[in-house]
Amino acid sequence: MMDAADVLAALAPSRSAAVVLASYLAYLAAAGAVLPGKLVAGAVLPDSSRLHYRCNGLLSLLLLLGLSSLGVYMDWMTPTVVADRGLELLSTTFIFSVIVTFLLYYIGLRSRHQSSSLKPHTTGSSIQDWWFGVQLNPHFMGVDLKFFFIRAGMMAWLFINLSLFAKSYLAGSVNRAVILYQFFCGWYIIDYFIHEEFMTSTWDIIAERLGFMLVFGDLVFIPFTFTIQGWWLLGNKVELPLLASVANCFIFLVGYLVFRGANKQKHLFKKDPKAPIWGKPPKVVGGKLLVSGYWGIARHCNYLGDLLLALSFSLPCGASSVIPYFYPTYLLILLIWRERRDEARCAEKYKDIWAEYCKLVPWRILPYVY
């Protein structure tokens, strides 16, 4: 067990951590630019423009897995390189995020662009503008930074987990709990990249400006806090009963079906408002709001699926500590806060249509509860 002094020492940024981070981001930028992928049109922005996203994240991931495997086989790197430098990478990535967001803030304020993507949006509060961002879709050398950072965070989550799994394997501590946790997270992340184009219709991409909130969330929070369960299992042996394992699998499956199904229905509806939902013509309020399928059950049913998935990632850690349950607890607070923000924005945007929609779909996230 590391004491406070050891933790502080391990948190010190290092040159090797900076090299790992720089190499990783450089690879993603190069792979994103040259690898083939489906070109997906984004949402129509207020100025009637729309961005296009090359969705080659899955191919980029598979190629990086192959290159990493080759590096391990040739003894150019160890499979535990990320786990061995976990705290160094955390502090180095945090510093990088802060620097990037100050640059985004500085450049955004001086932008003279009038397009929806690059026009500066300011509130008069420097802190708020730095936190939420100034520009909607800033670019660097042709790279859409918002889409890039989301991809980087999701992929890093997987690689940290794989490095932790390698560490467990070498220590001979792989058991049912470790396998379930790794499988659930791996499935979720790979599935994300299989359906990467669905990300182009999410609120983060469409409406959130790029500031510290998103950059830190993507590069630091996702990979380094969503893996807390993996770190916990590395240092704590959990003997998971068979019945508990089956229940955990059931929660994961239900969460996945709701989360993926709801997001797919929303994405397809935005692409084709007449596309069938569960084999029937979609029911729509005001020509804009979908009230069929999952979206006729709760106004933010995808959040319910996400919460069930988050819970399933933590359940393999047992009930001896609250630490592995940080992710689902944080996500619950975040999604309720985000749901409140979404509701206020939608009420302002759709007015009477939104009021009618709320009457038809009274439940926010969990039917008959909330």
Side-chain angles (χ1 to χ4, degrees), residues 251-298:
I251 292 172
F252 171 80
L253 180 61
V254 172
Y256 172 75
L257 291 175
V258 174
F259 175 77
R260 177 54 60 216
N263 284 330
K264 183 176 182 179
Q265 287 176 356
K266 179 178 68 173
H267 181 78
L268 294 178
F269 174 72
K270 289 185 176 181
K271 296 295 182 182
D272 180 9
K274 296 183 179 179
I277 302 292
W278 287 347
K280 298 179 181 179
K283 183 178 180 181
V284 182
V285 174
K288 298 179 179 180
L289 301 177
L290 177 66
V291 291
S292 291
Y294 289 106
W295 300 96
I297 298 173

Side-chain angles (χ1 to χ4, degrees), residues 200-228:
T200 63
S201 59
T202 61
W203 186 261
D204 282 355
I205 293 294
I206 295 173
E208 294 282 16
R209 300 187 296 276
L210 187 62
F212 181 78
M213 182 181 73
L214 284 187
V215 176
F216 173 81
D218 292 337
L219 294 183
V220 181
F221 205 86
I222 287 177
F224 291 101
T225 64
F226 290 11
T227 53
I228 286 176

Side-chain angles (χ1 to χ4, degrees), residues 162-189:
L162 290 176
S163 190
L164 290 170
F165 181 78
K167 210 169 179 67
S168 295
Y169 178 80
L170 293 174
S173 59
V174 173
N175 58 15
R176 184 184 296 159
V178 172
I179 292 172
L180 280 181
Y181 165 72
Q182 291 286 345
F183 175 77
F184 293 155
C185 290
W187 181 288
Y188 179 85
I189 296 165

Side-chain angles (χ1 to χ4, degrees), residues 81-97:
V81 60
V82 177
D84 291 338
R85 291 174 171 78
L87 291 177
E88 297 172 33
L89 284 168
L90 169 60
S91 59
T92 303
T93 308
F94 174 76
I95 292 170
F96 174 77
S97 330

Side-chain angles (χ1 to χ4, degrees), residues 350-364:
Y350 297 112
K351 297 182 171 56
D352 293 341
I353 297 176
W354 183 254
E356 182 182 353
Y357 173 61
C358 290
K359 290 180 181 178
L360 291 172
V361 188
W363 305 108
R364 295 170 180 261

Side-chain angles (χ1 to χ4, degrees), residues 36-323:
K38 183 179 180 180
L39 200 61
V40 177
V44 178
L45 300 176
D47 63 356
S48 299
S49 65
R50 64 194 311 176
L51 300 180
H52 289 77
Y53 302 91
R54 187 176 301 279
C55 294
N56 55 8
L58 181 62
L59 187 56
S60 300
L61 172 60
L62 295 177
L63 179 58
L64 185 55
L65 282 170
L67 292 173
S68 300
S69 300
L70 177 63
V72 171
Y73 178 76
M74 299 296 293
D75 286 330
W76 297 335
M77 58 183 284
T78 67
T80 62
V81 60
V82 177
D84 291 338
R85 291 174 171 78
L87 291 177
E88 297 172 33
L89 284 168
L90 169 60
S91 59
T92 303
T93 308
F94 174 76
I95 292 170
F96 174 77
S97 330
V98 173
I99 293 172
V100 165
T101 49
F102 273 115
L103 288 173
L104 288 172
Y105 174 72
Y106 178 82
I107 294 170
L109 287 180
R110 282 152 183 76
S111 173
R112 296 295 179 265
H113 288 272
Q114 295 302 309
S115 66
S116 294
S117 289
L118 299 177
K119 180 180 179 179
H121 300 267
T122 57
T123 63
S125 168
S126 298
I127 295 177
Q128 187 171 337
D129 292 339
W130 170 74
W131 181 270
F132 288 108
V134 175
Q135 293 177 306
L136 183 63
N137 297 301
H139 287 66
F140 177 71
M141 297 180 66
V143 176
D144 182 285
L145 293 178
K146 190 191 294 184
F147 200 64
F148 175 78
F149 288 147
I150 293 173
R151 177 180 289 182
M154 291 297 293
M155 211 174 289
W157 179 8
L158 179 63
F159 276 90
I160 292 175
N161 269 347
L162 290 176
S163 190
L164 290 170
F165 181 78
K167 210 169 179 67
S168 295
Y169 178 80
L170 293 174
S173 59
V174 173
N175 58 15
R176 184 184 296 159
V178 172
I179 292 172
L180 280 181
Y181 165 72
Q182 291 286 345
F183 175 77
F184 293 155
C185 290
W187 181 288
Y188 179 85
I189 296 165
I190 292 173
D191 179 78
Y192 168 87
F193 285 109
I194 291 174
H195 300 96
E196 190 177 31
E197 68 174 278
F198 292 177
M199 190 66 199
T200 63
S201 59
T202 61
W203 186 261
D204 282 355
I205 293 294
I206 295 173
E208 294 282 16
R209 300 187 296 276
L210 187 62
F212 181 78
M213 182 181 73
L214 284 187
V215 176
F216 173 81
D218 292 337
L219 294 183
V220 181
F221 205 86
I222 287 177
F224 291 101
T225 64
F226 290 11
T227 53
I228 286 176
Q229 302 95 319
W231 289 102
W232 174 263
L233 289 170
L234 185 63
N236 298 271
K237 187 174 183 179
V238 178
E239 296 295 343
L240 204 62
L242 179 60
L243 184 59
S245 301
V246 172
N248 199 169
C249 290
F250 178 76
I251 292 172
F252 171 80
L253 180 61
V254 172
Y256 172 75
L257 291 175
V258 174
F259 175 77
R260 177 54 60 216
N263 284 330
K264 183 176 182 179
Q265 287 176 356
K266 179 178 68 173
H267 181 78
L268 294 178
F269 174 72
K270 289 185 176 181
K271 296 295 182 182
D272 180 9
K274 296 183 179 179
I277 302 292
W278 287 347
K280 298 179 181 179
K283 183 178 180 181
V284 182
V285 174
K288 298 179 179 180
L289 301 177
L290 177 66
V291 291
S292 291
Y294 289 106
W295 300 96
I297 298 173
R299 302 199 291 272
H300 304 275
C301 49
N302 55 329
Y303 291 177
L304 174 61
D306 215 359
L307 288 167
L308 289 173
L309 286 169
L311 179 62
S312 73
F313 299 160
S314 298
L315 287 173
C317 298
S320 63
S321 173
V322 298
I323 293 175

